[in-house]
Amino acid sequence: AAELKGEECIYDVVQALSEENAEIERAETMQAAASNVDEQSGWCRMIFEIDHMNDPKGYTQTLKGWAIEGCIAARLFFRVDAQGRYRNVHCIIDGDQMDVSAFMKKFRTQNVDVDGSGKACKERCADMLDELVFDGYKEHAASFVCVE
């Protein structure tokens, strides 16, 4: 027993540090969760590229509806190819981060275009180019603008 003298103190120190570390991790987790809520209430600008639109009229009407419904300002830039399809489409959307997230969820999960045979389809060829998140709120009006 004399040989182990002092080791119980090391055990107590290790145990106390372990408990303190767990407490710090819990506090960091709660802080991160609170920070995430704050981030989602900020203003957001998202820029993405859509390779093409087979049904540009239907596609743009869908995007316009989502923008107005979600209080988002959206601008669409594109060129028209020989077949009348929109090509190299770039979209910029501005709004509250939660509204922009809801818009993007619809964009990825709901039908927005038609395939080559005319069957409704989801967007599969869009690439996110940038997402900018800012603290606070920026005044904006729900709108949708197309620029050729």
Side-chain angles (χ1 to χ4, degrees):
E3 295 172 6
L4 299 176
K5 201 162 188 100
E7 287 186 26
E8 60 275 341
C9 283
I10 294 173
Y11 174 79
D12 291 340
V13 169
V14 169
Q15 184 66 28
L17 288 174
S18 177
E19 290 171 5
E20 187 174 307
N21 190 35
E23 185 64 28
I24 290 170
E25 286 179 0
R26 278 192 294 275
E28 287 175 345
T29 301
M30 291 176 66
Q31 183 179 8
S35 168
N36 190 28
V37 169
D38 290 344
E39 286 177 8
Q40 290 196 359
S41 64
W43 176 74
C44 180
R45 169 171 285 163
M46 207 168 275
I47 304 168
F48 56 96
E49 179 180 23
I50 302 166
D51 181 63
H52 65 276
M53 293 180 178
N54 289 322
D55 175 21
K57 184 178 180 182
Y59 202 126
T60 56
Q61 286 295 2
T62 299
L63 294 180
K64 180 179 181 178
W66 292 345
I68 302 300
E69 175 186 314
C71 270
I72 291 173
R75 288 169 305 291
L76 204 62
F77 302 89
F78 57 90
R79 70 175 182 80
V80 180
D81 69 9
Q83 291 79 32
R85 296 189 318 170
Y86 290 9
R87 289 274 188 190
N88 304 101
V89 181
H90 289 81
C91 188
I92 301 172
I93 56 175
D94 293 327
D96 181 79
Q97 188 174 9
M98 290 174 55
D99 296 332
V100 169
S101 293
F103 179 96
M104 293 307 294
K105 183 176 181 179
K106 287 180 185 178
F107 182 68
R108 293 289 189 192
T109 61
Q110 295 185 18
N111 292 336
V112 291
D113 202 9
V114 295
D115 62 15
S117 64
K119 187 174 139 189
C121 63
K122 295 174 179 63
E123 179 54 61
R124 302 271 189 235
C125 298
D127 291 318
M128 183 67 56
L129 301 179
D130 206 354
E131 178 180 10
L132 307 164
V133 179
F134 304 95
D135 291 334
Y137 177 78
K138 181 178 179 194
E139 190 77 28
H140 67 277
S143 63
F144 187 82
V145 178
C146 288
V147 181
E148 183 177 354

